[in-house]
Amino acid sequence: MKKYLKAIILLTSMMYFACIAANPNPTHDPIQIILEEWQLEITSVLVKFDSQSSQLRRELIEINAALQNTTQPLSQLNLLIRKDAVKDQFAQLQNTTYAEVSKIRYLKGLAILKILYEKVLALDHHFAAIATFNEINSLSNPNHYPEFAGVKDLIKQSGNRKTGLELTKLLGDNVYANIATTLVGLFNSEAPREAKQEELAQVDCIMDFTLRMHQDLNTIWFETAFLQKSNAKIKIDLEQLFIEYTKPIGYFTPLPTCRNTDDWDAVQEKLKAYLTTMDTFLNDPAQAVKAHKMQVNLEFPIDRLLQFITQYNAFIDQGGKFYEKFKIILDSYEHATQCQHMLPPAYAQLKADIDLAIEKFNTAYKPLEVNASKKKEILYGINEYE
């Protein structure tokens, strides 16, 4: 029953990938495709093992039955020799299957690592392209608005020079002190009341927006800087993982250099040579310990890859939530409609950038969907239908 179930799974998977080839879906995540191919290839290996091992088990049953039915010493000796040979074949089949699963896991893991690095680099570019501190400061500081500067000029021209107070540069850059002093100066200036009222109407939206949104806009910048720093750490961790991943096969070029020089063929050549040596040791009983050690060295990085996927998923999930919060913050300005004519284009652009970031965190950067059974398969080579 198990064999037929595996055959059905294999056939279904083949049909699924045939459909993808015929109707490629650009929105289908490449890592998910790799994970599905991973399962398909491991299932194929296990189906082959199941078929061959069943044949050897049947042969052992026949040999045991023959041993019970014969009393001839020579026949018994030949049967026992044959039985040991079949057991050796079975052990060899297990080792070969184990090696095949290890190869698949290593190659697919390497492909996932490569794609993850592109995602992390894309995030790097994303954070580099978002609003800088100076841009945020321009939005949240009234001094950067020409209309507000005009009011301050009016105060200087028509203010009471005996009672007027000039802010220091330090306080002049403080939003709250700046606005409070400007309002007091406007009210106390010797300009006509109509002129003062007109000037106030020109800047009421600017002052309201900067007073209400100053802290929130700064929060967006600081938390984005935190995300950028976290992504930099993710990048460093991934580059270190690549070192650990390729060290067993004798490839020592750093990941950035490998990517920039398109040196992936060299990685494949190193892996091919490593697997050839491992296969040679597998076929030599005297080298069984070396073969086992090579397999362990090949499999150990898979555990680190799985840990990194968990780390990456947590970061992307956190980043998506941060940007959802940023969207709520930017949409919270209650006078956005009333003051629309006075709000700078950079405010609308920032909102558009946040919306785009949310979309990217849900698509291009989204977490990898690796369920519990898939993790077992990746980490241990265990198929859920075994």
Side-chain angles (χ1 to χ4, degrees):
M1 181 65 180
K2 182 174 69 171
K3 180 170 69 175
Y4 293 120
L5 181 57
K6 286 181 178 178
I8 291 172
I9 296 167
L10 179 59
L11 179 61
T12 304
S13 298
M14 291 174 68
M15 291 173 62
Y16 172 75
F17 286 106
C19 289
I20 289 180
N23 302 288
N25 182 0
T27 64
H28 198 75
D29 185 63
I31 291 184
Q32 289 304 317
I33 292 179
I34 291 174
L35 290 173
E36 289 157 6
E37 289 176 344
W38 189 327
Q39 185 173 30
L40 170 61
E41 292 177 21
I42 287 182
T43 300
S44 177
V45 170
L46 293 176
V47 168
K48 181 180 178 181
F49 169 78
D50 192 44
S51 174
Q52 294 178 345
S53 63
S54 295
Q55 182 178 346
L56 292 174
R57 288 191 186 97
R58 286 195 297 270
E59 192 169 350
L60 283 174
I61 292 172
E62 292 172 0
I63 292 173
N64 287 330
L67 280 170
Q68 292 178 356
N69 295 328
T70 184
T71 57
Q72 296 294 325
L74 184 59
S75 297
Q76 289 177 335
L77 179 60
N78 289 332
L79 287 169
L80 288 172
I81 292 173
R82 178 57 186 158
K83 183 176 181 179
D84 285 342
V86 172
K87 285 184 175 180
D88 288 342
Q89 290 179 39
F90 186 80
Q92 183 62 37
L93 178 62
Q94 284 183 313
N95 290 335
T96 302
T97 302
Y98 184 32
E100 286 298 319
V101 170
S102 297
K103 294 175 192 176
I104 293 169
R105 291 166 58 221
Y106 187 89
L107 285 168
K108 297 303 182 186
L110 184 63
I112 288 176
L113 194 153
K114 183 179 178 182
I115 294 174
L116 279 175
Y117 193 59
E118 294 302 323
K119 286 178 178 283
V120 171
L121 290 179
L123 276 166
D124 233 9
H125 295 313
H126 160 76
F127 287 123
I130 60 173
T132 65
F133 178 76
N134 288 333
E135 290 171 325
I136 291 291
N137 188 47
S138 295
L139 277 175
S140 60
N141 192 328
N143 285 334
H144 292 92
Y145 292 78
E147 295 84 359
F148 191 78
V151 172
K152 296 180 76 172
D153 287 341
L154 176 68
I155 294 172
K156 286 182 180 180
Q157 294 171 10
S158 59
N160 189 328
R161 296 186 180 275
K162 293 182 180 180
T163 60
L165 184 65
E166 188 77 21
L167 287 177
T168 64
K169 185 179 186 307
L170 181 65
L171 287 177
D173 289 335
N174 183 288
V175 172
Y176 306 104
N178 199 349
I179 290 179
T181 304
T182 300
L183 280 174
V184 171
L186 181 62
F187 291 144
N188 291 334
S189 74
E190 297 176 352
R193 183 177 184 278
E194 293 77 10
K196 292 192 289 185
Q197 195 68 45
E198 183 179 344
E199 290 296 327
L200 181 61
Q202 289 289 325
V203 296
D204 59 349
C205 280
I206 293 172
M207 290 191 291
D208 182 71
F209 175 76
T210 52
L211 281 173
R212 291 177 184 270
M213 299 298 293
H214 174 76
Q215 190 60 47
D216 288 337
L217 288 169
N218 281 341
T219 296
I220 290 175
W221 184 84
F222 284 118
E223 293 190 351
T224 300
F226 167 76
L227 288 175
Q228 188 172 17
K229 188 174 182 180
S230 299
N231 186 66
K233 182 181 183 304
I234 290 279
K235 181 183 174 186
I236 292 172
D237 290 346
L238 184 53
E239 290 171 356
Q240 180 59 39
L241 173 59
F242 181 78
I243 292 173
E244 296 176 12
Y245 206 95
T246 56
K247 182 179 178 181
I249 64 173
Y251 185 82
F252 302 106
T253 303
L255 179 54
T257 305
C258 175
R259 176 187 179 273
N260 293 336
T261 59
D262 197 21
D263 201 34
W264 298 106
D265 286 343
V267 180
Q268 294 290 342
E269 288 300 318
K270 289 286 186 180
L271 177 61
K272 183 179 178 181
Y274 186 90
L275 294 176
T276 299
T277 303
M278 189 173 76
D279 287 339
T280 301
F281 288 164
L282 281 170
N283 293 318
D284 183 358
Q287 303 291 344
V289 175
K290 290 184 179 179
H292 178 69
K293 184 177 180 180
M294 291 185 74
Q295 282 182 290
V296 170
N297 289 338
L298 203 63
E299 292 166 357
F300 177 74
I302 302 295
D303 178 49
R304 286 283 292 108
L305 174 61
L306 207 60
Q307 293 174 18
F308 179 81
I309 288 174
T310 301
Q311 179 187 358
Y312 174 83
N313 283 355
F315 171 66
I316 295 301
D317 184 61
Q318 179 190 49
K321 289 177 180 177
F322 267 72
Y323 276 95
E324 290 285 356
K325 181 173 77 171
F326 297 162
K327 180 177 175 61
I328 293 172
I329 288 175
L330 292 177
D331 289 341
S332 68
Y333 180 52
E334 57 188 84
H335 297 143
T337 302
Q338 178 183 342
C339 294
Q340 186 175 6
H341 64 291
M342 291 298 297
L343 297 181
Y347 176 65
Q349 183 59 51
L350 181 59
K351 293 181 72 173
D353 289 344
I354 297 298
D355 287 338
L356 180 60
I358 292 172
E359 180 184 349
K360 285 187 175 182
F361 271 90
N362 290 330
T363 53
Y365 315 136
K366 70 178 181 179
L368 279 62
E369 299 173 4
V370 184
N371 58 33
S373 61
K374 184 67 68 178
K375 284 183 179 180
K376 289 180 183 177
E377 184 178 323
I378 293 172
L379 186 55
Y380 305 112
I382 298 175
N383 188 280
E384 59 182 317
Y385 297 102
E386 256 291 274

